[in-house]
Amino acid sequence: GFNTYLVVLVARALLGGGYTGILAGLLWALYPPALVAAGMFLTEPLAATLMLAITYLACRARNLLGPDADLRMAPGTLGALGFLVGLVLLHKVALFPASALAIALMFLPDRKRFKIAGVIALGLISVVVGWFALTRCLSGEGTLMPNRVASENMSLGSDIENAGWHCMPLPPRTQFYFFTHPLTTYAVSFINNTPAMLLLETSKLDRMIAHPWNHYRRSVFGLDFTAQEVWQRLTLLLAALGMVAAALRTSCKFATDDGGVSSRNLAFALAIIVGHLLFLPFEGISRYFFSAMPLVTILAAYGASRLFLMGFGALPILIDMLICLLSSSWGASLMAPSLGYEKAALLGFVA
């Protein structure tokens, strides 16, 4: 529920007023994986909250600073932004580069970018220092980040023998290397069979973004998993359309009476979404892309609103989208016996 509220706020902050915020909130409130994830004690729902909150605070800070980047107008907002980025560092460290890149794109053009970065860094350091002090008191040894075994995930995700999936028992190469030399499995796979490894990496792109996070294939609103896959791909298509429409409206030439879209805001959103591709060297499952889906949904709502404004002029685009959906779903089923489902789906979706 809180994420739905944040989606509305972020949509308005990123793309301006109008009905986009309400439409985005409605789409997220009905998004099947969001409802499934709400009953799971995993990191992804909270990661989505952090990504949304960071986006909202970054847009708010940008507006408060104004064109002159007056730091006196937004020190608290910038500090809170750094605090949230610090929580990302502790909560899901793989999303830290995406957050840092997005913030850099938002504030680097400013003349006072170093001072802005300093205030944000203070918020981040407060979290890291707090975690260090806590772990030092409780365990006798301070750490800057939580200890994780990401090496196992990377080894499993790059092992051709199990197609990058977790399995039991572990394949011999993964079992031998994953605790001590996780990059060894990755390098050995590339060296021994480069074409197969490249195919594995491209298939993980489809595995991660083109399927909804619903591993137990639960029915939601009477929709089975196949219908939820269509929903996911339709959202991606509308988001691509929204991305193009927003990019066109960053230029004054294309701006209309209801205003344009800030190029910084669009770059920020895209950096957060694209930053999730850092999960590809790992298993690359759909759960890892969940924290990007709120922003994808916002772009999809924007694309849908642009289509509505086009009226009958949107008919060719709708036909193209239908062809894309059919080629990625039914086409994949036809080609799956020879290519494998994930490669066939990715090929159809790109086509």
Side-chain angles (χ1 to χ4, degrees):
F2 184 59
N3 281 350
T4 301
Y5 176 66
L6 283 176
V7 164
V8 176
L9 293 181
V10 170
R12 289 175 174 172
L14 281 176
L15 304 171
Y19 295 101
T20 303
I22 297 298
L23 179 58
L26 181 63
L27 289 176
W28 184 254
L30 299 176
Y31 181 54
L35 297 170
V36 172
M40 293 187 177
F41 190 66
L42 291 168
T43 60
E44 279 70 26
L46 184 54
T49 307
L50 290 173
M51 292 296 103
L52 286 167
I54 285 172
T55 305
Y56 177 71
L57 283 183
C59 293
R60 179 172 173 79
R62 176 68 265 148
N63 291 334
L64 290 174
L65 289 172
D68 297 327
D70 188 356
L71 281 174
R72 292 174 299 176
M73 303 302 294
T77 305
L78 291 173
L81 180 60
F83 185 85
L84 289 178
V85 174
L87 291 182
V88 169
L89 189 62
L90 296 185
H91 181 72
K92 212 168 184 64
V93 69
L95 294 179
F96 175 74
S99 305
L101 175 61
I103 291 173
L105 291 173
M106 180 69 82
F107 297 107
L108 267 182
D110 293 323
R111 289 184 294 106
K112 299 179 180 178
R113 52 185 173 272
F114 294 111
K115 293 182 178 180
I116 293 172
V119 177
I120 295 174
L122 285 176
L124 189 153
I125 291 171
S126 68
V127 175
V128 175
V129 170
W131 177 259
F132 182 89
L134 176 69
T135 53
R136 175 85 176 180
C137 292
L138 294 180
S139 67
E141 180 180 353
T143 61
L144 295 178
M145 291 186 296
N147 294 321
R148 292 187 173 92
V149 192
S151 55
E152 177 185 4
N153 198 321
M154 177 176 283
S155 295
L156 288 167
S158 61
D159 201 322
I160 301 174
E161 296 178 29
N162 55 308
W165 287 107
H166 186 94
C167 62
M168 296 297 288
L170 295 174
R173 186 167 59 203
T174 297
Q175 190 170 17
F176 185 74
Y177 285 119
F178 73 69
F179 277 125
T180 54
H181 301 89
L183 289 177
T184 301
T185 308
Y186 207 76
V188 168
S189 297
F190 259 112
I191 293 171
N192 289 352
N193 197 338
T194 303
M197 190 61 186
L198 290 174
L199 282 175
L200 174 61
E201 293 302 305
T202 53
S203 68
K204 282 197 287 185
L205 181 63
D206 172 84
R207 181 192 302 181
M208 191 167 77
I209 72 173
H211 304 276
W213 176 29
N214 187 354
H215 291 167
Y216 294 103
R217 298 175 177 252
R218 295 171 181 167
S219 177
V220 180
F221 298 130
L223 299 176
D224 60 10
F225 189 74
T226 301
Q228 293 174 39
E229 282 197 321
V230 174
W231 184 318
Q232 176 80 6
R233 295 176 188 191
L234 181 60
T235 301
L236 292 173
L237 284 172
L238 286 172
L241 183 64
M243 191 187 311
V244 172
L248 288 175
R249 289 165 59 79
T250 58
S251 170
C252 294
K253 180 180 177 182
F254 291 95
T256 57
D257 294 337
D258 57 342
V261 176
S262 167
S263 57
R264 294 192 189 191
N265 290 359
L266 181 60
F268 189 100
L270 295 182
I272 293 290
I273 295 171
V274 174
H276 282 71
L277 298 184
L278 188 63
F279 287 107
L280 283 180
F282 301 92
E283 283 187 90
I285 54 180
S286 58
R287 176 164 58 89
Y288 298 155
F289 197 67
F290 179 79
S291 48
M293 282 307 297
L295 290 172
V296 172
T297 301
I298 290 171
L299 287 174
Y302 187 74
S305 66
R306 294 292 103 189
L307 278 179
F308 178 77
L309 291 176
M310 291 176 67
F312 287 107
L315 188 59
I317 298 178
L318 291 173
I319 293 174
D320 286 341
M321 291 173 62
L322 179 61
I323 292 173
C324 185
L325 282 173
L326 294 178
S327 63
S328 66
S329 298
W330 292 349
S333 299
L334 293 174
M335 295 184 291
S338 57
L339 294 177
Y341 180 79
E342 289 170 344
K343 300 182 186 67
L346 178 64
L347 180 64
F349 194 77
V350 170

